Amino acid sequence: DTWASGWNWNKVFGNVPDAAIVVAPGGQPRPMSEMPVLMLDGTIDTSSNTATFQTFYLLSSADVDSDKLTDNLYRDAAMAPGNPYQFLFLDTGGNPIQTNNVLIFPGQQEGGGPGTNQLNFVQFTMFNPLTHRIQLTYNGAVLAERVASPNAPVIAITSLSLDSVNQLISLAWNATDADGDPLFFTVQYSADRGESWTALKVGCPWQSLTFSSKLLPGSATAQLRVLASDGLNTTIAYSSV
């Protein structure tokens, strides 16, 4: 598998609470802070007409950069009718409950640009909790599909140590999933008690990480967090400040 790079993640994710009002699935206005948000990540191969889903992350709105979320929602709503690439959200009965346009990375067109047939997407959308299945379709044909499992991962940070001589930080955690799904982890650092986050490692399958502290801003309120995803359901563990 491949995962979104740390650069892409940091362009997408942050933690900027926002009091904006959105129209929830079903048409009821709700504060954005009360709505779950799904980050969709993947690629489309236009030569074979196939698509691959990478790790999705299901988060609260408070864990997402509100400006980027608003931008994604606006771009989706403003897109002209007829976009061939769509996300289709289905409930347990197979009934469609939500659709969204796939937002291809800026500058890419169908065909992927010179020398490539790959289109990439990383985008936010509001998430309807009734969702059981997510499909990416091209003119109605299903290219990729993901089913939401019943249980979210369980995760706890087990150790955190600093090697001041070598300027290394070692972090370990324990995570399990009742559904037996493979888990992927993203580790983030905050120098301001969780007001903003920088990705250190994205989508790794390991349950420990050692990294250099040389380029991290020093802070008396520094904090780490680990996001565990089973491909969709997500749980976050935080270190002490």
Side-chain angles (χ1 to χ4, degrees), residues 61-141:
S61 302
D63 290 312
V64 175
D65 186 318
S66 60
D67 289 337
K68 294 181 177 67
L69 172 58
T70 301
D71 173 74
N72 280 194
L73 296 176
Y74 174 80
R75 288 173 56 205
D76 182 7
M79 190 172 289
N83 177 33
Y85 293 107
Q86 297 279 321
F87 291 114
L88 180 60
F89 294 73
L90 307 170
D91 63 16
T92 54
N95 304 299
I97 55 176
Q98 181 179 335
T99 58
N100 295 90
N101 292 297
V102 178
L103 304 180
I104 305 301
F105 277 180
Q108 288 193 322
Q109 304 295 326
E110 186 170 349
T116 178
N117 294 308
Q118 181 171 290
L119 304 176
N120 302 286
F121 58 87
V122 178
Q123 72 184 76
F124 293 123
T125 185
M126 310 313 293
F127 182 77
N128 189 324
L130 296 178
T131 299
H132 175 65
R133 189 183 305 269
I134 301 171
Q135 296 176 338
L136 190 157
T137 65
Y138 177 73
N139 288 330

Side-chain angles (χ1 to χ4, degrees), residues 19 32 41 49 75 93 101 114 120 139 173 184 190 213 215 218 224 235 241:
M32 188 179 290
D41 180 12
N49 202 31
R75 288 173 56 205
N101 292 297
N120 302 286
N139 288 330
W173 56 90
F184 297 94
S190 174
S213 63
L215 299 180
L224 292 165
T235 305
V241 176

Side-chain angles (χ1 to χ4, degrees), residues 109-186:
Q109 304 295 326
E110 186 170 349
T116 178
N117 294 308
Q118 181 171 290
L119 304 176
N120 302 286
F121 58 87
V122 178
Q123 72 184 76
F124 293 123
T125 185
M126 310 313 293
F127 182 77
N128 189 324
L130 296 178
T131 299
H132 175 65
R133 189 183 305 269
I134 301 171
Q135 296 176 338
L136 190 157
T137 65
Y138 177 73
N139 288 330
V142 178
L143 305 188
E145 182 175 78
R146 177 154 297 166
V147 176
S149 57
N151 299 289
V154 175
I155 182 171
I157 291 175
T158 55
S159 67
L160 174 60
S161 61
L162 171 64
D163 180 345
S164 57
V165 175
N166 296 304
Q167 294 183 281
L168 294 174
I169 297 174
S170 295
L171 177 69
W173 56 90
N174 182 65
T176 58
D177 185 85
D179 306 307
D181 296 325
L183 300 179
F184 297 94
F185 307 97
T186 288

Side-chain angles (χ1 to χ4, degrees), residues 188-191 193-194 197 221-225 238-241:
Q188 296 177 309
Y189 172 82
S190 174
R193 201 186 295 265
W197 295 92
T221 59
Q223 192 173 21
L224 292 165
R225 71 179 185 180
Y238 293 84
S239 71
S240 301
V241 176

